[in-house]
Amino acid sequence: MSGKAEPRTAGERTPSRARLDRGRGALGPALELVHTGRAPTRAVLTAELGVTRATAGAVAAELEALGLIRVDARPGSAAGSQGRPSHRLEVAEDGPVALAAQIHADGFRAALVGLGGRIVATAPGCETVDADPAKVLGSVVEAGAELLRGTGRRCVGAGLAVPSAVAEPDGLALNPLHLAWPVGAPVRQIFAECVRAAGIGGPAFTGNDVNLVALAEHRHGAGRGARDLLCVATGHRGVGGALVLDGRLHTGSSGLALEVGHLTVNPEGRPCHCGSRGCLDVEADPLALLVEAGRDPGPEVSLLQQADDLLRNQFDDPAVRTAAEALIDRLGLGLAGLVNILNPDRIILGGLHRTLLDADPGRLRAVVADRSLWGQSGGVPILPCTLNHSSLVGAAELAWQPVLDDPLGALAGTD
């Protein structure tokens, strides 16, 4: 018998090709596992997918060929380890990116974000927000387009974070309370038109900024591994909330769920933009802290930075400490009500609330436990958000989602 391989008939598949065809449906789940850091090696990927080593190898090779991940076939063995080490899997550092944009009360920022939630490049932030959404979104998209031109990266799509509930299915900014935008501005449509006009490929998405903080932190930060994750955070103004259930954002029937900023925590408190009084939005945001501490807000830097700096540098000042304690008590009251209703397994805090937690963690946790049935019975972990620019990372997650769902199909659409 000759040692020469017999020629294959037309259409006959090689074993590796057959394995890949069987594993095509695993490309998206595999990419998500690497993207979120849950499959650092091919052995873990094999176990998580429930496939053979050969199929996992073929899937990893295909994702590497698409320029999405890197497979290290020669990893070093850990000291004292037994056997051959598994191939390491990492996101490709020079791979595609998503354009992420964020609008807030004190300006806007654009960034390019790769897989793994890694920020590749950022544009200098702007400190003014025009009353015309089209002008603002056009400017932030152009800043992103300039980043893409400078880096030469392939773009899979664009995501936008806005400080407003975004009503579905039309993508309307329903309550941009701290912007001078009209109520119901069609931000998703405007953003998509700006993205197309800039020649940026891929789909465009828009979401509420705190929803996107929660999404980013659940995949890459302090919320990783939580099943029912509650996120409460201050932006540059106001307070927002978000809930992740079984790995997915809970946005309600029309995108308006978890408007926690309008929980009443001080019935005799400040008038709120919503028409009520004493809402978290005006009782536990950066402006509330500055006013409570007797400080006049200045125009030099954002209110959020001024409030953060006050807590970090002057917490020993009696007026600052008293103001912080008042905000912590109001925040704790709101969190306790949410815990009683939602029973989350973890709470994460962002913006000024993260700084309040750092300043006096015991007080906040005690208030929540004292006011919460579930807190009294065992306590809910309350943790600070850990990502920098988490709204931007979350906005990028929106653009990455089609790639995570169907890598081949999505990337074919961005060629």
Side-chain angles (χ1 to χ4, degrees), residues 329-356:
D329 290 348
R330 296 169 197 159
L331 174 61
L333 180 61
L335 291 178
L338 292 168
V339 167
N340 287 335
I341 295 169
L342 301 172
N343 189 24
D345 58 17
R346 194 179 310 174
I347 299 171
I348 58 172
L349 301 179
L352 179 65
H353 294 166
R354 174 173 63 178
T355 314
L356 285 168

mmCIF file of all heavy atoms in Angstrom, residues 329-356:
data_model
loop_
_atom_site.group_PDB
_atom_site.id
_atom_site.type_symbol
_atom_site.label_atom_id
_atom_site.label_comp_id
_atom_site.label_asym_id
_atom_site.label_seq_id
_atom_site.Cartn_x
_atom_site.Cartn_y
_atom_site.Cartn_z
ATOM 1 N N ASP A 329 -26.992 58.324 54.168
ATOM 2 C CA ASP A 329 -28.244 57.869 54.762
ATOM 3 C C ASP A 329 -29.374 57.851 53.730
ATOM 4 O O ASP A 329 -30.193 56.917 53.698
ATOM 5 C CB ASP A 329 -28.624 58.755 55.947
ATOM 6 C CG ASP A 329 -27.693 58.572 57.142
ATOM 7 O OD1 ASP A 329 -26.899 57.601 57.140
ATOM 8 O OD2 ASP A 329 -27.753 59.394 58.073
ATOM 9 N N ARG A 330 -29.423 58.868 52.890
ATOM 10 C CA ARG A 330 -30.459 58.908 51.850
ATOM 11 C C ARG A 330 -30.233 57.813 50.818
ATOM 12 O O ARG A 330 -31.182 57.140 50.394
ATOM 13 C CB ARG A 330 -30.462 60.279 51.175
ATOM 14 C CG ARG A 330 -30.837 61.422 52.082
ATOM 15 C CD ARG A 330 -30.550 62.750 51.418
ATOM 16 N NE ARG A 330 -30.517 63.838 52.400
ATOM 17 C CZ ARG A 330 -29.912 64.998 52.188
ATOM 18 N NH1 ARG A 330 -29.277 65.224 51.039
ATOM 19 N NH2 ARG A 330 -29.928 65.931 53.113
ATOM 20 N N LEU A 331 -28.980 57.638 50.405
ATOM 21 C CA LEU A 331 -28.668 56.580 49.457
ATOM 22 C C LEU A 331 -28.998 55.213 50.053
ATOM 23 O O LEU A 331 -29.596 54.354 49.388
ATOM 24 C CB LEU A 331 -27.187 56.645 49.070
ATOM 25 C CG LEU A 331 -26.657 55.517 48.177
ATOM 26 C CD1 LEU A 331 -27.388 55.475 46.843
ATOM 27 C CD2 LEU A 331 -25.144 55.671 47.958
ATOM 28 N N GLY A 332 -28.632 55.005 51.306
ATOM 29 C CA GLY A 332 -28.917 53.732 51.961
ATOM 30 C C GLY A 332 -30.398 53.447 52.038
ATOM 31 O O GLY A 332 -30.837 52.297 51.859
ATOM 32 N N LEU A 333 -31.193 54.477 52.305
ATOM 33 C CA LEU A 333 -32.644 54.310 52.354
ATOM 34 C C LEU A 333 -33.172 53.860 50.993
ATOM 35 O O LEU A 333 -34.002 52.947 50.900
ATOM 36 C CB LEU A 333 -33.300 55.624 52.774
ATOM 37 C CG LEU A 333 -34.822 55.639 52.886
ATOM 38 C CD1 LEU A 333 -35.286 54.640 53.936
ATOM 39 C CD2 LEU A 333 -35.308 57.047 53.219
ATOM 40 N N GLY A 334 -32.683 54.495 49.922
ATOM 41 C CA GLY A 334 -33.101 54.091 48.584
ATOM 42 C C GLY A 334 -32.669 52.685 48.239
ATOM 43 O O GLY A 334 -33.441 51.894 47.685
ATOM 44 N N LEU A 335 -31.426 52.337 48.583
ATOM 45 C CA LEU A 335 -30.929 50.990 48.292
ATOM 46 C C LEU A 335 -31.716 49.938 49.057
ATOM 47 O O LEU A 335 -32.016 48.861 48.523
ATOM 48 C CB LEU A 335 -29.443 50.892 48.645
ATOM 49 C CG LEU A 335 -28.461 51.681 47.779
ATOM 50 C CD1 LEU A 335 -27.043 51.502 48.311
ATOM 51 C CD2 LEU A 335 -28.540 51.249 46.318
ATOM 52 N N ALA A 336 -32.056 50.233 50.301
ATOM 53 C CA ALA A 336 -32.803 49.262 51.093
ATOM 54 C C ALA A 336 -34.156 48.975 50.455
ATOM 55 O O ALA A 336 -34.602 47.814 50.410
ATOM 56 C CB ALA A 336 -32.991 49.790 52.513
ATOM 57 N N GLY A 337 -34.835 50.012 49.964
ATOM 58 C CA GLY A 337 -36.109 49.796 49.288
ATOM 59 C C GLY A 337 -35.954 48.934 48.049
ATOM 60 O O GLY A 337 -36.774 48.041 47.786
ATOM 61 N N LEU A 338 -34.890 49.164 47.310
ATOM 62 C CA LEU A 338 -34.641 48.367 46.109
ATOM 63 C C LEU A 338 -34.313 46.919 46.469
ATOM 64 O O LEU A 338 -34.745 45.988 45.777
ATOM 65 C CB LEU A 338 -33.499 48.988 45.308
ATOM 66 C CG LEU A 338 -33.814 50.345 44.661
ATOM 67 C CD1 LEU A 338 -32.532 51.004 44.155
ATOM 68 C CD2 LEU A 338 -34.805 50.175 43.525
ATOM 69 N N VAL A 339 -33.553 46.731 47.535
ATOM 70 C CA VAL A 339 -33.222 45.372 47.970
ATOM 71 C C VAL A 339 -34.489 44.623 48.367
ATOM 72 O O VAL A 339 -34.666 43.444 48.029
ATOM 73 C CB VAL A 339 -32.206 45.412 49.141
ATOM 74 C CG1 VAL A 339 -32.099 44.048 49.807
ATOM 75 C CG2 VAL A 339 -30.841 45.865 48.639
ATOM 76 N N ASN A 340 -35.388 45.288 49.066
ATOM 77 C CA ASN A 340 -36.637 44.649 49.474
ATOM 78 C C ASN A 340 -37.481 44.217 48.274
ATOM 79 O O ASN A 340 -38.178 43.213 48.318
ATOM 80 C CB ASN A 340 -37.453 45.598 50.355
ATOM 81 C CG ASN A 340 -36.870 45.745 51.748
ATOM 82 O OD1 ASN A 340 -36.172 44.857 52.234
ATOM 83 N ND2 ASN A 340 -37.142 46.869 52.390
ATOM 84 N N ILE A 341 -37.418 44.979 47.209
ATOM 85 C CA ILE A 341 -38.221 44.678 46.025
ATOM 86 C C ILE A 341 -37.537 43.672 45.110
ATOM 87 O O ILE A 341 -38.164 42.742 44.600
ATOM 88 C CB ILE A 341 -38.518 45.974 45.240
ATOM 89 C CG1 ILE A 341 -39.389 46.907 46.076
ATOM 90 C CG2 ILE A 341 -39.198 45.667 43.903
ATOM 91 C CD1 ILE A 341 -39.505 48.307 45.509
ATOM 92 N N LEU A 342 -36.217 43.836 44.902
ATOM 93 C CA LEU A 342 -35.511 43.093 43.857
ATOM 94 C C LEU A 342 -34.730 41.888 44.372
ATOM 95 O O LEU A 342 -34.426 40.977 43.599
ATOM 96 C CB LEU A 342 -34.550 44.036 43.120
ATOM 97 C CG LEU A 342 -35.195 45.254 42.453
ATOM 98 C CD1 LEU A 342 -34.112 46.192 41.933
ATOM 99 C CD2 LEU A 342 -36.125 44.827 41.328
ATOM 100 N N ASN A 343 -34.327 41.911 45.637
ATOM 101 C CA ASN A 343 -33.524 40.828 46.210
ATOM 102 C C ASN A 343 -32.312 40.484 45.340
ATOM 103 O O ASN A 343 -32.116 39.334 44.942
ATOM 104 C CB ASN A 343 -34.390 39.575 46.417
ATOM 105 C CG ASN A 343 -33.669 38.493 47.201
ATOM 106 O OD1 ASN A 343 -32.753 38.765 47.952
ATOM 107 N ND2 ASN A 343 -34.091 37.252 47.009
ATOM 108 N N PRO A 344 -31.441 41.464 45.045
ATOM 109 C CA PRO A 344 -30.254 41.176 44.234
ATOM 110 C C PRO A 344 -29.222 40.389 45.031
ATOM 111 O O PRO A 344 -29.253 40.375 46.272
ATOM 112 C CB PRO A 344 -29.722 42.577 43.889
ATOM 113 C CG PRO A 344 -30.127 43.412 45.072
ATOM 114 C CD PRO A 344 -31.468 42.875 45.498
ATOM 115 N N ASP A 345 -28.315 39.721 44.320
ATOM 116 C CA ASP A 345 -27.238 39.039 45.042
ATOM 117 C C ASP A 345 -25.987 39.908 45.154
ATOM 118 O O ASP A 345 -25.031 39.531 45.830
ATOM 119 C CB ASP A 345 -26.908 37.681 44.430
ATOM 120 C CG ASP A 345 -26.491 37.743 42.975
ATOM 121 O OD1 ASP A 345 -26.137 38.843 42.495
ATOM 122 O OD2 ASP A 345 -26.532 36.707 42.294
ATOM 123 N N ARG A 346 -26.016 41.087 44.527
ATOM 124 C CA ARG A 346 -24.882 42.006 44.627
ATOM 125 C C ARG A 346 -25.346 43.405 44.235
ATOM 126 O O ARG A 346 -26.179 43.565 43.337
ATOM 127 C CB ARG A 346 -23.740 41.561 43.721
ATOM 128 C CG ARG A 346 -22.403 42.253 43.989
ATOM 129 C CD ARG A 346 -21.319 41.739 43.062
ATOM 130 N NE ARG A 346 -21.252 40.272 43.037
ATOM 131 C CZ ARG A 346 -20.457 39.584 42.221
ATOM 132 N NH1 ARG A 346 -19.669 40.223 41.362
ATOM 133 N NH2 ARG A 346 -20.452 38.266 42.255
ATOM 134 N N ILE A 347 -24.787 44.412 44.898
ATOM 135 C CA ILE A 347 -25.019 45.806 44.536
ATOM 136 C C ILE A 347 -23.674 46.420 44.202
ATOM 137 O O ILE A 347 -22.697 46.236 44.931
ATOM 138 C CB ILE A 347 -25.661 46.602 45.697
ATOM 139 C CG1 ILE A 347 -27.022 46.014 46.073
ATOM 140 C CG2 ILE A 347 -25.803 48.075 45.334
ATOM 141 C CD1 ILE A 347 -27.596 46.624 47.343
ATOM 142 N N ILE A 348 -23.613 47.156 43.103
ATOM 143 C CA ILE A 348 -22.398 47.899 42.773
ATOM 144 C C ILE A 348 -22.753 49.375 42.640
ATOM 145 O O ILE A 348 -23.839 49.725 42.183
ATOM 146 C CB ILE A 348 -21.711 47.376 41.496
ATOM 147 C CG1 ILE A 348 -22.641 47.431 40.285
ATOM 148 C CG2 ILE A 348 -21.184 45.970 41.708
ATOM 149 C CD1 ILE A 348 -21.947 47.100 38.970
ATOM 150 N N LEU A 349 -21.838 50.216 43.064
ATOM 151 C CA LEU A 349 -22.068 51.656 43.081
ATOM 152 C C LEU A 349 -21.027 52.362 42.223
ATOM 153 O O LEU A 349 -19.837 52.045 42.292
ATOM 154 C CB LEU A 349 -21.999 52.191 44.516
ATOM 155 C CG LEU A 349 -22.986 51.580 45.519
ATOM 156 C CD1 LEU A 349 -22.772 52.196 46.893
ATOM 157 C CD2 LEU A 349 -24.423 51.765 45.062
ATOM 158 N N GLY A 350 -21.493 53.344 41.443
ATOM 159 C CA GLY A 350 -20.593 54.067 40.562
ATOM 160 C C GLY A 350 -20.687 55.567 40.750
ATOM 161 O O GLY A 350 -21.591 56.085 41.422
ATOM 162 N N GLY A 351 -19.747 56.293 40.149
ATOM 163 C CA GLY A 351 -19.727 57.741 40.250
ATOM 164 C C GLY A 351 -19.475 58.187 41.679
ATOM 165 O O GLY A 351 -18.681 57.607 42.421
ATOM 166 N N LEU A 352 -20.185 59.226 42.109
ATOM 167 C CA LEU A 352 -20.018 59.750 43.462
ATOM 168 C C LEU A 352 -20.378 58.708 44.514
ATOM 169 O O LEU A 352 -19.792 58.670 45.602
ATOM 170 C CB LEU A 352 -20.880 61.000 43.650
ATOM 171 C CG LEU A 352 -20.826 61.643 45.035
ATOM 172 C CD1 LEU A 352 -19.430 62.187 45.335
ATOM 173 C CD2 LEU A 352 -21.875 62.729 45.168
ATOM 174 N N HIS A 353 -21.311 57.816 44.208
ATOM 175 C CA HIS A 353 -21.709 56.797 45.184
ATOM 176 C C HIS A 353 -20.559 55.848 45.497
ATOM 177 O O HIS A 353 -20.438 55.364 46.621
ATOM 178 C CB HIS A 353 -22.920 56.022 44.671
ATOM 179 C CG HIS A 353 -24.151 56.857 44.560
ATOM 180 N ND1 HIS A 353 -25.265 56.465 43.868
ATOM 181 C CD2 HIS A 353 -24.436 58.095 45.049
ATOM 182 C CE1 HIS A 353 -26.185 57.406 43.945
ATOM 183 N NE2 HIS A 353 -25.699 58.408 44.641
ATOM 184 N N ARG A 354 -19.723 55.588 44.525
ATOM 185 C CA ARG A 354 -18.532 54.778 44.778
ATOM 186 C C ARG A 354 -17.614 55.487 45.768
ATOM 187 O O ARG A 354 -17.059 54.854 46.683
ATOM 188 C CB ARG A 354 -17.793 54.510 43.464
ATOM 189 C CG ARG A 354 -16.466 53.800 43.634
ATOM 190 C CD ARG A 354 -15.840 53.405 42.316
ATOM 191 N NE ARG A 354 -15.515 54.534 41.471
ATOM 192 C CZ ARG A 354 -14.911 54.437 40.274
ATOM 193 N NH1 ARG A 354 -14.594 53.246 39.798
ATOM 194 N NH2 ARG A 354 -14.657 55.502 39.570
ATOM 195 N N THR A 355 -17.467 56.796 45.604
ATOM 196 C CA THR A 355 -16.604 57.557 46.510
ATOM 197 C C THR A 355 -17.208 57.629 47.908
ATOM 198 O O THR A 355 -16.486 57.562 48.917
ATOM 199 C CB THR A 355 -16.375 58.974 45.954
ATOM 200 O OG1 THR A 355 -16.056 58.900 44.562
ATOM 201 C CG2 THR A 355 -15.224 59.663 46.677
ATOM 202 N N LEU A 356 -18.533 57.749 48.014
ATOM 203 C CA LEU A 356 -19.191 57.730 49.312
ATOM 204 C C LEU A 356 -18.971 56.392 50.014
ATOM 205 O O LEU A 356 -18.731 56.348 51.230
ATOM 206 C CB LEU A 356 -20.691 57.991 49.153
ATOM 207 C CG LEU A 356 -21.117 59.428 48.852
ATOM 208 C CD1 LEU A 356 -22.589 59.458 48.446
ATOM 209 C CD2 LEU A 356 -20.884 60.335 50.063
#
